[in-house]
C-alpha cells in the first residue's frame, strides 16, 4: 500500500505599497483625500532617494495628516488602485490549507482593513488612534528588517519553515525578506529586486502572479 507524503503548508507573505496597490501606496492614497499629493510625493522621494528613515517618514506624515479622520482612511482604501483578484487568491490559499499575511511599513489603521478581504493576518506600523491626539512613537514604526522578524514569527506561529514561504514585493523594503525566502515574486517591481526574485510579474491581477508560484509547485 502506498503512503502519500503529507503536503507541507505554505505561508504567502504580501507587501502592500506598490505590490497589492499598483503604482501607489497607502500614504499617497491617504494624502490624496487631504489634498496633500505634492507634499507626500516629496516625502516619498526622501524615503526612496535620500535615505529618509521609515520612522522619520511617519513623523512627518503624521504632521501632514493632522486633520485625518477614519472617513478619510475609508475613502483612501476604497479608492486605491488595487490589483485584481486579491480576495480570490487569499481564498484559494486558505482552501489549500496554507496561510497568507500582509507585512508593510504603512499604518496599521489602513492595512488592517484587509482582514475583511480574507487575509489571515495583517501587520503594519502601529500609529496613534484616529483622530490623532498623540505623536508617533518611533519604535512602533516598521522597517525592512522588521519584515523579516515578523515573517519569522509567523513561521513559528503556523509551523511553517522558511523554505516553504513565498514572498511578493516590489521594492527595496522587500529586498531583505527576498534574501531570506527562496520562493519570491517581484510584482511590478523596481530595480532594487533585480536578480533577487525567482519570478517576475508585470500586470494588474494578483491571480496571474500567484499562478507563477502554483505552476512551479505543481
Amino acid at each position: 500500500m502506498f503512503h502519500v507524503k503529507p503536503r507541507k503548508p505554505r505561508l504567502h507573505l504580501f507587501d502592500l505599497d506598490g505590490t497589492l496597490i499598483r503604482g501607489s501606496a497607502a500614504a499617497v492614497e491617504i494624502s490624496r483625500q487631504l489634498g496633500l499629493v505634492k507634499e507626500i510625493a516629496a516625502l516619498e522621494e526622501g524615503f526612496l532617494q535620500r535615505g529618509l528613515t521609515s520612522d522619520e517618514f511617519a513623523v512627518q506624515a503624521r504632521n501632514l495628516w493632522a486633520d485625518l479622520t477614519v472617513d478619510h482612511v475609508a475613502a483612501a482604501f476604497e479608492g486605491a488602485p488595487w490589483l485584481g483578484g486579491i480576495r480570490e487568491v487569499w481564498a484559494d490559499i486558505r482552501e489549500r490549507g496554507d496561510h497568507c499575511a500582509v507585512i508593510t511599513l504603512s499604518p496599521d489603521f489602513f492595512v488592517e482593513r484587509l482582514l475583511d478581504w480574507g487575509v489571515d493576518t495583517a501587520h503594519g506600523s502601529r500609529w496613534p488612534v484616529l483622530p490623532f491626539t498623540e505623536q508617533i512613537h518611533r519604535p512602533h514604526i516598521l522597517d525592512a528588517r522588521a519584515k523579516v522578524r515578523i515573517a519569522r514569527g509567523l513561521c513559528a506561529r503556523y509551523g511553517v519553515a522558511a523554505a516553504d514561504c513565498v514572498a511578493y514585493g516590489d521594492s527595496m523594503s522587500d529586498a531583505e525578506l527576498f534574501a531570506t525566502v527562496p520562493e519570491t515574486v517581484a510584482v511590478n517591481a523596481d530595480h532594487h529586486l533585480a536578480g533577487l526574485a525567482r519570478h517576475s510579474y508585470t500586470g494588474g491581477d494578483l491571480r496571474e502572479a500567484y499562478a507563477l508560484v502554483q505552476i512551479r509547485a505543481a
Side-chain angles (χ1 to χ4, degrees):
M1 182 176 179
F2 294 101
H3 294 279
V4 178
K5 186 176 181 181
R7 176 182 172 278
K8 293 181 179 179
R10 304 179 95 187
L11 172 60
H12 295 256
L13 304 164
F14 295 90
D15 173 54
L16 176 69
D17 300 324
T19 303
L20 296 179
I21 300 178
R22 187 179 184 184
S24 190
V28 173
E29 297 305 313
I30 290 169
S31 297
R32 193 184 313 281
Q33 296 299 317
L34 297 168
L36 297 169
V37 174
K38 291 183 179 179
E39 290 82 352
I40 203 65
L43 273 186
E44 290 276 347
E45 182 181 358
F47 179 71
L48 296 173
Q49 305 293 338
R50 299 198 298 273
L52 188 70
T53 61
S54 58
D55 60 333
E56 182 59 28
F57 180 99
V59 167
Q60 295 190 36
R62 154 66 178 84
N63 292 335
L64 280 178
W65 299 344
D67 298 325
L68 186 64
T69 67
V70 172
D71 288 342
H72 288 130
V73 176
F77 186 89
E78 292 300 323
W82 298 100
L83 291 185
I86 294 174
R87 295 174 181 86
E88 291 81 0
V89 167
W90 290 345
D92 187 75
I93 288 171
R94 298 179 73 169
E95 286 172 8
R96 292 171 184 268
D98 295 334
H99 306 283
C100 50
V102 174
I103 309 176
T104 174
L105 311 188
S106 288
D108 54 355
F109 55 69
F110 188 96
V111 66
E112 288 175 358
R113 290 174 175 266
L114 289 169
L115 293 171
D116 291 337
W117 287 16
V119 74
D120 286 310
T121 182
H123 299 265
S125 295
R126 200 186 332 161
W127 275 57
V129 174
L130 290 168
F132 295 138
T133 59
E134 299 178 1
Q135 297 299 317
I136 292 291
H137 184 50
R138 290 177 185 264
H140 289 169
I141 304 303
L142 304 183
D143 57 15
R145 288 174 296 176
K147 285 193 171 187
V148 176
R149 173 178 54 79
I150 292 169
R152 287 172 177 162
L154 290 173
C155 284
R157 173 177 173 180
Y158 293 122
V160 176
D164 298 310
C165 290
V166 183
Y168 304 76
D170 76 301
S171 64
M172 64 179 180
S173 69
D174 304 300
E176 289 193 39
L177 183 58
F178 270 44
T180 64
V181 174
E183 193 75 355
T184 53
V185 185
V187 179
N188 298 315
D190 63 23
H191 68 281
H192 293 98
L193 297 187
L196 290 179
R198 186 179 295 271
H199 310 280
S200 182
Y201 171 73
T202 301
D205 198 307
L206 187 61
R207 287 167 290 198
E208 296 171 354
Y210 176 64
L212 298 175
V213 178
Q214 297 309 112
I215 291 170
R216 182 176 178 84

